[in-house]
Amino acid sequence: MSVTSKPGKDSNQAKSSQEEGFSEVERAAIKDRAAELKSEARRSKSANKAAAEERDVLAKISNMAQPDRALAERLHAVITETAPELAPKLWYGQPAWARSGKVVCFFRSGQGDKQRYSTFGFSPEAKLDDEQGLWATSFALAELTEKAEATIKRLLRTALG
């Protein structure tokens, strides 16, 4: 019995399927998430889990380039002040804030994602549902003005019901 290659599997098709797969940034986020899950499993036995997760978030923020670092630092302060029941944790390698272990909101570094703006968003755990059946779940964040902070505070209060 001889082994032959499958017809149609030439180098052009292989290259094409690689281009359709995950980007380098997406693969890195998946690897980050896998590492986070392993770390959470180890920490679930630790009494200092919340403190360790906050240290991880603050370390991630401190490693960001400006202006994303300033945005993330201020956002962390706003969330901590407005919704102290949310615990910081890493989510896909980016800062997030969770209630009962489930992410409610998150920050994505625009520079880390090679985008022109950062993103502040909410997961389905947030109770932002609107009676019209349409509501925003993420926002471009280029600057954290007083008006933007007020909007974020209002959204956090709504999200937590």
Side-chain angles (χ1 to χ4, degrees), residues 38-53 55:
K38 286 179 186 177
S39 179
E40 285 176 18
R42 284 190 305 269
R43 286 183 180 159
S44 66
K45 300 168 188 162
S46 168
N48 295 322
K49 179 181 177 184
E53 287 183 338
R55 279 193 307 272

Side-chain angles (χ1 to χ4, degrees), residues 8-28:
K9 286 288 183 185
D10 64 14
S11 63
N12 287 339
Q13 283 183 328
K15 185 178 179 182
S16 175
S17 67
Q18 288 174 348
E19 291 171 359
E20 293 174 10
F22 292 112
S23 71
E24 183 179 325
V25 171
E26 290 168 327
R27 284 191 300 275

Side-chain angles (χ1 to χ4, degrees), residues 141-158:
L141 186 60
E143 182 181 358
L144 203 48
T145 63
E146 286 183 28
K147 190 173 181 179
E149 281 188 27
T151 299
I152 289 169
K153 288 176 182 181
R154 180 181 50 79
L155 287 168
L156 285 167
R157 287 188 290 271
T158 301

Side-chain angles (χ1 to χ4, degrees), residues 88-110:
K89 66 183 282 177
L90 289 178
W91 192 51
Y92 293 97
Q94 297 290 319
W97 295 265
R99 179 173 49 186
S100 301
K102 295 184 180 183
V103 171
V104 173
C105 58
F106 58 89
F107 175 80
R108 293 217 40 98
S109 166

Side-chain angles (χ1 to χ4, degrees), residues 50 54 76-88 97-100 156-157 160:
E54 183 167 22
H76 178 67
V78 167
I79 293 168
T80 301
E81 170 191 313
T82 307
E85 65 269 38
L86 294 181
W97 295 265
R99 179 173 49 186
S100 301
L156 285 167
R157 287 188 290 271
L160 298 173

